[in-house]
Amino acid sequence: MIKFFRKIRQNLLMENKTSKYFKYAIGEIVLVVIGILIALSINNWNIKNVQQKEVRTYLISIKSNLIQDTLSLSLRTLDIKQNIQTFDSISSLIIANESKLLGDSNLVSALLATHRFITEKNSFVDLTSNGKFNLIKNKKITKKILSYYNYIEERVGGLNNSLDIYTRETLAPYFMKNYQLKFPIPFNLKLSEDSNIVSKNKDVLFEINAIKYRYFMLSQLSDVYAEADTNAKKIIELIDDELIK
């Protein structure tokens, strides 16, 4: 093709058709520019097509992470409700200021369980760390995703940390000091299997306040988990709508 155009130019020069030569040269330049523009358009289309496929892959992966989150949140919420039911079952003892509050191993478990939730966010981290989060053109989705993970980090993480610290630094040492608790131990380890042996130093008021505080904290945590679960499901719906476009 290049040789063909070159031959035409040479013939025009040999025939002293200068004006036609310049017109032809300009036309050839225009054709070259049009060709470049077409090539760039095709290249941009290919890049955009690749990016769209990449975004779909990320959205599907984020959706998978969110589904895992909803399952995990549901399980932890169920555990929390069971603990709260345990507290409700001994509410009369709390009111009566009885000293037999910890006669049930379920109550000890309800007091010491932490119910920490850890979000699945590998896809989100990968997307943001690679600087590709802005490839998602649906800003409603990006806003919801950012809001969700910020909520998990700040609100959910804050409550989890408070509950963990209180349990680890206040409740657990108290019960380890004042009670003989049942733990899974080797059968050849010669220890008494009696549980709930109360020491003389037991602080009934502390136990009552601990139960009330745990009840309050777990109620808060249950509400926060429920909100996180709702937000995750809304994002899943938005992603589904985006994927069918």
Side-chain angles (χ1 to χ4, degrees), residues 112-137:
L112 297 180
T114 56
H115 310 288
R116 173 169 283 275
F117 167 73
I118 300 176
T119 181
E120 293 286 342
K121 61 175 184 178
N122 292 335
S123 299
F124 174 72
V125 171
D126 186 34
L127 190 60
T128 52
S129 62
N130 290 335
K132 296 181 178 180
F133 191 70
N134 290 330
L135 292 178
I136 302 175
K137 301 304 180 183

Side-chain angles (χ1 to χ4, degrees), residues 66 69-70 73-74 77 117 119 144 147-149 151-153 155-156 221-236:
L66 291 171
D69 277 2
T70 60
L73 285 165
S74 296
T77 300
F117 167 73
T119 181
K144 288 287 186 181
S147 177
Y148 172 77
Y149 285 113
Y151 184 82
I152 294 298
E153 181 177 353
R155 183 64 173 148
V156 174
L221 196 58
S222 178
D223 292 340
V224 167
Y225 282 178
E227 185 171 351
D229 181 66
T230 299
N231 292 338
K233 289 176 179 176
K234 287 181 179 179
I235 298 173
I236 291 171

Side-chain angles (χ1 to χ4, degrees), residues 5 14 73 77 107 156 168 183 200 232 236:
F5 287 129
M14 289 174 65
L73 285 165
T77 300
L107 180 56
V156 174
R168 181 176 65 251
F183 295 100
K200 296 180 180 179
I236 291 171

Side-chain angles (χ1 to χ4, degrees), residues 157-200:
L159 275 176
N160 279 329
N161 289 336
S162 296
L163 197 58
D164 286 353
I165 292 172
Y166 180 70
T167 302
R168 181 176 65 251
E169 298 182 2
T170 303
L171 289 183
Y174 173 83
F175 289 117
M176 293 294 288
K177 178 181 178 181
N178 293 289
Y179 287 86
Q180 179 171 304
L181 306 176
K182 274 191 175 181
F183 295 100
I185 58 176
F187 291 110
N188 59 351
L189 189 60
K190 304 300 182 181
L191 294 176
S192 171
E193 294 188 0
D194 293 333
S195 63
N196 304 311
I197 298 178
V198 185
S199 74
K200 296 180 180 179

Side-chain angles (χ1 to χ4, degrees), residues 65-83:
N65 287 168
L66 291 171
I67 290 174
Q68 184 61 42
D69 277 2
T70 60
L71 295 174
S72 182
L73 285 165
S74 296
L75 289 174
R76 278 156 182 76
T77 300
L78 181 61
D79 289 340
I80 290 172
K81 288 181 178 180
Q82 290 176 344
N83 285 171

